[in-house]
Amino acid sequence: MPTKTKSEIASTTEGELERLVGDLRELLASKELDDIPAIKQVRQRLEDGVQSVRDATVRAAQDTAQRAMDAARAADSYAHDEPWRVASAALAVGALVGFLLARR
């Protein structure tokens, strides 16, 4: 039996979790269960949890975008402050890539 990679395990786990959440949503969306106070509480906690995860995801995406913009600004500033160093580094990388491709 072949060993699963980490990405395969993560994918399988993610799929199982999605199915479980889908099943829970179907169960909690059942109108027959609206008369049970405990089900209303569970439904509310689940909805609050989903909203919390969505908010955290949005914040993480915004933070990542801000970091990327900050890095781009820093790179742009460095390129303007040190144009010869940037040109030299680009020349060195280009020469290295050219040398490696020529060896093929």
Side-chain angles (χ1 to χ4, degrees):
M1 182 163 107
T3 304
K4 288 187 175 184
T5 64
K6 288 181 182 179
S7 62
E8 290 173 335
I9 293 170
S11 178
T12 301
T13 303
E14 182 180 351
E16 290 173 3
L17 184 59
E18 286 176 8
R19 280 193 297 276
L20 176 62
V21 169
D23 291 345
L24 278 172
R25 283 180 181 240
E26 282 181 32
L27 178 64
L28 293 174
S30 175
K31 295 299 179 191
E32 296 88 36
L33 299 175
D34 280 346
D35 296 334
I36 303 171
I39 295 297
K40 284 185 177 182
Q41 290 174 351
V42 169
R43 181 182 292 146
Q44 186 60 46
R45 284 196 315 241
L46 182 61
E47 289 173 4
D48 291 346
V50 168
Q51 187 60 43
S52 176
V53 168
R54 284 183 184 148
D55 292 344
T57 303
V58 167
R59 281 192 306 274
Q62 290 171 342
D63 184 47
T64 301
Q66 185 62 42
R67 286 184 191 183
M69 288 190 320
D70 292 345
R73 282 190 199 107
D76 184 57
S77 176
Y78 182 80
H80 281 55
D81 293 344
E82 305 285 342
W84 291 108
R85 282 190 177 182
V86 173
S88 299
L91 178 65
V93 170
L96 179 62
V97 170
F99 175 73
L100 292 175
L101 289 176
R103 291 185 64 197
R104 289 184 138 201

PDB file of all heavy atoms in Angstrom, residues 65-80:
ATOM      1  N   ALA A  65      -1.883  41.096   1.863  1.00  0.00           N
ATOM      2  CA  ALA A  65      -1.833  42.089   0.786  1.00  0.00           C
ATOM      3  C   ALA A  65      -1.035  43.313   1.224  1.00  0.00           C
ATOM      4  O   ALA A  65      -0.236  43.854   0.448  1.00  0.00           O
ATOM      5  CB  ALA A  65      -3.243  42.487   0.375  1.00  0.00           C
ATOM      6  N   GLN A  66      -1.224  43.751   2.469  1.00  0.00           N
ATOM      7  CA  GLN A  66      -0.481  44.907   2.973  1.00  0.00           C
ATOM      8  C   GLN A  66       1.015  44.605   3.037  1.00  0.00           C
ATOM      9  O   GLN A  66       1.835  45.437   2.670  1.00  0.00           O
ATOM     10  CB  GLN A  66      -1.006  45.314   4.361  1.00  0.00           C
ATOM     11  CG  GLN A  66      -0.369  46.566   4.901  1.00  0.00           C
ATOM     12  CD  GLN A  66      -0.643  47.786   4.040  1.00  0.00           C
ATOM     13  OE1 GLN A  66      -1.750  47.987   3.574  1.00  0.00           O
ATOM     14  NE2 GLN A  66       0.376  48.580   3.801  1.00  0.00           N
ATOM     15  N   ARG A  67       1.372  43.403   3.494  1.00  0.00           N
ATOM     16  CA  ARG A  67       2.783  43.030   3.541  1.00  0.00           C
ATOM     17  C   ARG A  67       3.390  42.996   2.145  1.00  0.00           C
ATOM     18  O   ARG A  67       4.534  43.416   1.952  1.00  0.00           O
ATOM     19  CB  ARG A  67       2.949  41.662   4.199  1.00  0.00           C
ATOM     20  CG  ARG A  67       2.751  41.665   5.686  1.00  0.00           C
ATOM     21  CD  ARG A  67       3.027  40.305   6.245  1.00  0.00           C
ATOM     22  NE  ARG A  67       2.596  40.210   7.626  1.00  0.00           N
ATOM     23  CZ  ARG A  67       2.776  39.148   8.372  1.00  0.00           C
ATOM     24  NH1 ARG A  67       3.368  38.085   7.874  1.00  0.00           N
ATOM     25  NH2 ARG A  67       2.362  39.130   9.614  1.00  0.00           N
ATOM     26  N   ALA A  68       2.632  42.482   1.175  1.00  0.00           N
ATOM     27  CA  ALA A  68       3.137  42.437  -0.198  1.00  0.00           C
ATOM     28  C   ALA A  68       3.349  43.846  -0.745  1.00  0.00           C
ATOM     29  O   ALA A  68       4.353  44.118  -1.412  1.00  0.00           O
ATOM     30  CB  ALA A  68       2.167  41.656  -1.093  1.00  0.00           C
ATOM     31  N   MET A  69       2.419  44.746  -0.452  1.00  0.00           N
ATOM     32  CA  MET A  69       2.572  46.129  -0.903  1.00  0.00           C
ATOM     33  C   MET A  69       3.764  46.789  -0.218  1.00  0.00           C
ATOM     34  O   MET A  69       4.531  47.532  -0.853  1.00  0.00           O
ATOM     35  CB  MET A  69       1.294  46.927  -0.659  1.00  0.00           C
ATOM     36  CG  MET A  69       0.171  46.535  -1.590  1.00  0.00           C
ATOM     37  SD  MET A  69      -1.288  47.592  -1.597  1.00  0.00           S
ATOM     38  CE  MET A  69      -1.551  48.023   0.079  1.00  0.00           C
ATOM     39  N   ASP A  70       3.946  46.530   1.074  1.00  0.00           N
ATOM     40  CA  ASP A  70       5.093  47.085   1.793  1.00  0.00           C
ATOM     41  C   ASP A  70       6.410  46.568   1.211  1.00  0.00           C
ATOM     42  O   ASP A  70       7.371  47.332   1.051  1.00  0.00           O
ATOM     43  CB  ASP A  70       5.015  46.759   3.280  1.00  0.00           C
ATOM     44  CG  ASP A  70       3.876  47.483   3.997  1.00  0.00           C
ATOM     45  OD1 ASP A  70       3.331  48.452   3.422  1.00  0.00           O
ATOM     46  OD2 ASP A  70       3.532  47.064   5.120  1.00  0.00           O
ATOM     47  N   ALA A  71       6.455  45.278   0.899  1.00  0.00           N
ATOM     48  CA  ALA A  71       7.663  44.697   0.305  1.00  0.00           C
ATOM     49  C   ALA A  71       7.928  45.307  -1.073  1.00  0.00           C
ATOM     50  O   ALA A  71       9.086  45.595  -1.416  1.00  0.00           O
ATOM     51  CB  ALA A  71       7.527  43.187   0.202  1.00  0.00           C
ATOM     52  N   ALA A  72       6.870  45.501  -1.860  1.00  0.00           N
ATOM     53  CA  ALA A  72       7.040  46.110  -3.181  1.00  0.00           C
ATOM     54  C   ALA A  72       7.539  47.545  -3.056  1.00  0.00           C
ATOM     55  O   ALA A  72       8.414  47.976  -3.816  1.00  0.00           O
ATOM     56  CB  ALA A  72       5.716  46.072  -3.951  1.00  0.00           C
ATOM     57  N   ARG A  73       7.003  48.284  -2.090  1.00  0.00           N
ATOM     58  CA  ARG A  73       7.471  49.663  -1.874  1.00  0.00           C
ATOM     59  C   ARG A  73       8.940  49.681  -1.445  1.00  0.00           C
ATOM     60  O   ARG A  73       9.718  50.517  -1.891  1.00  0.00           O
ATOM     61  CB  ARG A  73       6.608  50.350  -0.817  1.00  0.00           C
ATOM     62  CG  ARG A  73       5.291  50.817  -1.338  1.00  0.00           C
ATOM     63  CD  ARG A  73       4.574  51.717  -0.312  1.00  0.00           C
ATOM     64  NE  ARG A  73       3.174  51.779  -0.629  1.00  0.00           N
ATOM     65  CZ  ARG A  73       2.200  51.185   0.049  1.00  0.00           C
ATOM     66  NH1 ARG A  73       2.484  50.496   1.139  1.00  0.00           N
ATOM     67  NH2 ARG A  73       0.952  51.287  -0.328  1.00  0.00           N
ATOM     68  N   ALA A  74       9.302  48.759  -0.556  1.00  0.00           N
ATOM     69  CA  ALA A  74      10.691  48.689  -0.095  1.00  0.00           C
ATOM     70  C   ALA A  74      11.622  48.346  -1.260  1.00  0.00           C
ATOM     71  O   ALA A  74      12.704  48.946  -1.398  1.00  0.00           O
ATOM     72  CB  ALA A  74      10.833  47.667   1.020  1.00  0.00           C
ATOM     73  N   ALA A  75      11.209  47.409  -2.116  1.00  0.00           N
ATOM     74  CA  ALA A  75      12.024  47.043  -3.271  1.00  0.00           C
ATOM     75  C   ALA A  75      12.137  48.215  -4.238  1.00  0.00           C
ATOM     76  O   ALA A  75      13.218  48.496  -4.775  1.00  0.00           O
ATOM     77  CB  ALA A  75      11.428  45.826  -3.974  1.00  0.00           C
ATOM     78  N   ASP A  76      11.037  48.912  -4.451  1.00  0.00           N
ATOM     79  CA  ASP A  76      11.051  50.079  -5.341  1.00  0.00           C
ATOM     80  C   ASP A  76      11.958  51.165  -4.784  1.00  0.00           C
ATOM     81  O   ASP A  76      12.754  51.767  -5.509  1.00  0.00           O
ATOM     82  CB  ASP A  76       9.630  50.605  -5.523  1.00  0.00           C
ATOM     83  CG  ASP A  76       9.578  51.759  -6.507  1.00  0.00           C
ATOM     84  OD1 ASP A  76      10.026  51.574  -7.664  1.00  0.00           O
ATOM     85  OD2 ASP A  76       9.102  52.850  -6.119  1.00  0.00           O
ATOM     86  N   SER A  77      11.858  51.404  -3.483  1.00  0.00           N
ATOM     87  CA  SER A  77      12.693  52.417  -2.829  1.00  0.00           C
ATOM     88  C   SER A  77      14.167  52.030  -2.934  1.00  0.00           C
ATOM     89  O   SER A  77      15.018  52.874  -3.251  1.00  0.00           O
ATOM     90  CB  SER A  77      12.286  52.563  -1.371  1.00  0.00           C
ATOM     91  OG  SER A  77      13.134  53.471  -0.709  1.00  0.00           O
ATOM     92  N   TYR A  78      14.476  50.766  -2.704  1.00  0.00           N
ATOM     93  CA  TYR A  78      15.858  50.305  -2.797  1.00  0.00           C
ATOM     94  C   TYR A  78      16.371  50.457  -4.217  1.00  0.00           C
ATOM     95  O   TYR A  78      17.507  50.887  -4.435  1.00  0.00           O
ATOM     96  CB  TYR A  78      15.966  48.849  -2.342  1.00  0.00           C
ATOM     97  CG  TYR A  78      17.383  48.326  -2.374  1.00  0.00           C
ATOM     98  CD1 TYR A  78      18.264  48.635  -1.348  1.00  0.00           C
ATOM     99  CD2 TYR A  78      17.835  47.544  -3.422  1.00  0.00           C
ATOM    100  CE1 TYR A  78      19.573  48.178  -1.367  1.00  0.00           C
ATOM    101  CE2 TYR A  78      19.138  47.080  -3.457  1.00  0.00           C
ATOM    102  CZ  TYR A  78      20.002  47.398  -2.434  1.00  0.00           C
ATOM    103  OH  TYR A  78      21.296  46.947  -2.470  1.00  0.00           O
ATOM    104  N   ALA A  79      15.533  50.116  -5.200  1.00  0.00           N
ATOM    105  CA  ALA A  79      15.953  50.229  -6.597  1.00  0.00           C
ATOM    106  C   ALA A  79      16.223  51.683  -6.969  1.00  0.00           C
ATOM    107  O   ALA A  79      17.129  51.969  -7.756  1.00  0.00           O
ATOM    108  CB  ALA A  79      14.891  49.637  -7.515  1.00  0.00           C
ATOM    109  N   HIS A  80      15.455  52.621  -6.413  1.00  0.00           N
ATOM    110  CA  HIS A  80      15.686  54.033  -6.695  1.00  0.00           C
ATOM    111  C   HIS A  80      16.910  54.563  -5.944  1.00  0.00           C
ATOM    112  O   HIS A  80      17.636  55.405  -6.460  1.00  0.00           O
ATOM    113  CB  HIS A  80      14.451  54.856  -6.331  1.00  0.00           C
ATOM    114  CG  HIS A  80      13.366  54.781  -7.351  1.00  0.00           C
ATOM    115  ND1 HIS A  80      12.837  53.594  -7.781  1.00  0.00           N
ATOM    116  CD2 HIS A  80      12.728  55.749  -8.038  1.00  0.00           C
ATOM    117  CE1 HIS A  80      11.906  53.829  -8.681  1.00  0.00           C
ATOM    118  NE2 HIS A  80      11.818  55.149  -8.864  1.00  0.00           N
TER     119      HIS A  80
END
